[in-house]
Amino acid sequence: MVQKTSTRFPGVRSRAHSTRKHGIRPDTCFFIRHRVDGKIIEESCGWESEGMTAAKAYQILSDFKENTKTGSGPRTFKELKKLNAQMQQHAELERIAEEQQRQREAVTFGELFDAYTTAGAIRKKPTVIAAEQGRYKKWLAPLFKNM
């Protein structure tokens, strides 16, 4: 069994993998240990081959400890993952709402002209309505119907 060793940063430990390599050296996984709600939690931050360093792990640990003190923000990776999922879901709902609003506001010239002729049919003479519809079909519809 490979043991975790302490680093020069308090609360950060590392473990060298027995077969996984980063260059010619064994790949190292970094862990943080901290207390949340009276329990000591040890979480994996990531591998050295993926860009994690002991200093980055310590920064993450510092952020989690600060969030624990202030009572706002994620205190563990599990809470961070849950928060990211909620934010992603919220962004998706906003995108869907914006798309629906855009579809409601997107009225084509053809739809607008149909509403115009329907509303004007009450006050206009049938000859005027026929003339407007003829102009629309011959000149406007080919160019502007779907705009």
Side-chain angles (χ1 to χ4, degrees):
M1 181 175 156
V2 178
Q3 295 228 341
K4 296 176 184 161
T5 58
S6 61
T7 63
R8 64 185 185 122
F9 298 98
V12 178
R13 296 169 55 172
S14 65
R15 176 179 57 88
H17 197 273
S18 59
T19 57
R20 186 174 172 165
K21 298 289 184 183
H22 179 55
I24 59 172
R25 297 181 306 130
D27 202 2
T28 304
C29 186
F30 294 97
F31 298 86
I32 57 172
R33 287 175 58 107
H34 57 109
R35 192 176 295 269
V36 176
D37 297 331
K39 293 181 181 179
I40 295 177
I41 296 177
E42 185 166 20
E43 299 178 291
S44 171
C45 288
W47 292 92
E48 187 176 23
S49 62
E50 296 171 351
M52 183 56 64
T53 63
K56 287 181 184 178
Y58 184 70
Q59 182 60 45
I60 293 169
L61 176 63
S62 299
D63 293 342
F64 284 165
K65 284 183 176 181
E66 183 65 28
N67 291 343
T68 301
K69 283 181 187 176
T70 60
S72 64
R75 301 175 299 169
T76 63
F77 280 114
K78 186 176 183 180
E79 290 177 4
L80 181 63
K81 185 177 180 181
K82 185 178 178 181
L83 181 67
N84 286 340
Q86 287 174 347
M87 289 173 55
Q88 190 174 26
Q89 183 181 16
H90 181 69
E92 181 66 21
L93 290 174
E94 281 184 356
R95 188 192 62 77
I96 290 170
E98 287 175 2
E99 181 65 29
Q100 289 173 346
Q101 180 67 23
R102 207 173 307 123
Q103 287 176 353
R104 282 192 298 267
E105 291 175 354
V107 178
T108 64
F109 185 76
E111 294 169 349
L112 183 64
F113 187 80
D114 291 340
Y116 168 77
T117 55
T118 305
I122 299 168
R123 292 178 278 134
K124 295 180 183 177
K125 294 181 181 180
T127 56
V128 173
I129 294 172
E132 287 179 349
Q133 287 178 346
R135 288 185 199 112
Y136 171 73
K137 286 179 185 174
K138 180 161 176 109
W139 300 104
L140 299 175
L143 299 173
F144 302 115
K145 183 177 183 178
N146 295 324
M147 291 182 87

PDB file of all heavy atoms in Angstrom, residues 13 36 47 68:
ATOM      1  N   ARG A  13      -1.668  16.770   1.328  1.00  0.00           N
ATOM      2  CA  ARG A  13      -0.876  15.541   1.301  1.00  0.00           C
ATOM      3  C   ARG A  13      -0.778  15.059  -0.128  1.00  0.00           C
ATOM      4  O   ARG A  13      -1.573  15.437  -0.983  1.00  0.00           O
ATOM      5  CB  ARG A  13      -1.531  14.477   2.182  1.00  0.00           C
ATOM      6  CG  ARG A  13      -1.545  14.906   3.643  1.00  0.00           C
ATOM      7  CD  ARG A  13      -2.389  14.039   4.506  1.00  0.00           C
ATOM      8  NE  ARG A  13      -2.023  12.637   4.409  1.00  0.00           N
ATOM      9  CZ  ARG A  13      -2.528  11.693   5.185  1.00  0.00           C
ATOM     10  NH1 ARG A  13      -3.391  11.998   6.118  1.00  0.00           N
ATOM     11  NH2 ARG A  13      -2.169  10.440   5.032  1.00  0.00           N
ATOM     12  N   VAL A  36     -15.114  19.756   8.387  1.00  0.00           N
ATOM     13  CA  VAL A  36     -16.405  20.322   8.001  1.00  0.00           C
ATOM     14  C   VAL A  36     -17.449  19.736   8.934  1.00  0.00           C
ATOM     15  O   VAL A  36     -17.595  18.516   9.023  1.00  0.00           O
ATOM     16  CB  VAL A  36     -16.758  19.993   6.531  1.00  0.00           C
ATOM     17  CG1 VAL A  36     -18.148  20.505   6.184  1.00  0.00           C
ATOM     18  CG2 VAL A  36     -15.730  20.574   5.596  1.00  0.00           C
ATOM     19  N   TRP A  47      -4.376  15.208 -10.168  1.00  0.00           N
ATOM     20  CA  TRP A  47      -3.069  14.636 -10.472  1.00  0.00           C
ATOM     21  C   TRP A  47      -2.110  15.708 -10.976  1.00  0.00           C
ATOM     22  O   TRP A  47      -2.506  16.666 -11.620  1.00  0.00           O
ATOM     23  CB  TRP A  47      -3.207  13.554 -11.528  1.00  0.00           C
ATOM     24  CG  TRP A  47      -3.944  12.356 -11.029  1.00  0.00           C
ATOM     25  CD1 TRP A  47      -5.283  12.129 -11.112  1.00  0.00           C
ATOM     26  CD2 TRP A  47      -3.387  11.237 -10.353  1.00  0.00           C
ATOM     27  NE1 TRP A  47      -5.598  10.938 -10.533  1.00  0.00           N
ATOM     28  CE2 TRP A  47      -4.445  10.354 -10.060  1.00  0.00           C
ATOM     29  CE3 TRP A  47      -2.103  10.886  -9.970  1.00  0.00           C
ATOM     30  CZ2 TRP A  47      -4.249   9.148  -9.400  1.00  0.00           C
ATOM     31  CZ3 TRP A  47      -1.912   9.678  -9.322  1.00  0.00           C
ATOM     32  CH2 TRP A  47      -2.972   8.822  -9.036  1.00  0.00           C
ATOM     33  N   THR A  68     -16.066  28.057   4.896  1.00  0.00           N
ATOM     34  CA  THR A  68     -16.576  27.487   6.138  1.00  0.00           C
ATOM     35  C   THR A  68     -16.706  28.572   7.203  1.00  0.00           C
ATOM     36  O   THR A  68     -17.703  28.623   7.926  1.00  0.00           O
ATOM     37  CB  THR A  68     -15.646  26.364   6.638  1.00  0.00           C
ATOM     38  OG1 THR A  68     -15.563  25.355   5.626  1.00  0.00           O
ATOM     39  CG2 THR A  68     -16.163  25.742   7.916  1.00  0.00           C
TER      40      THR A  68
END
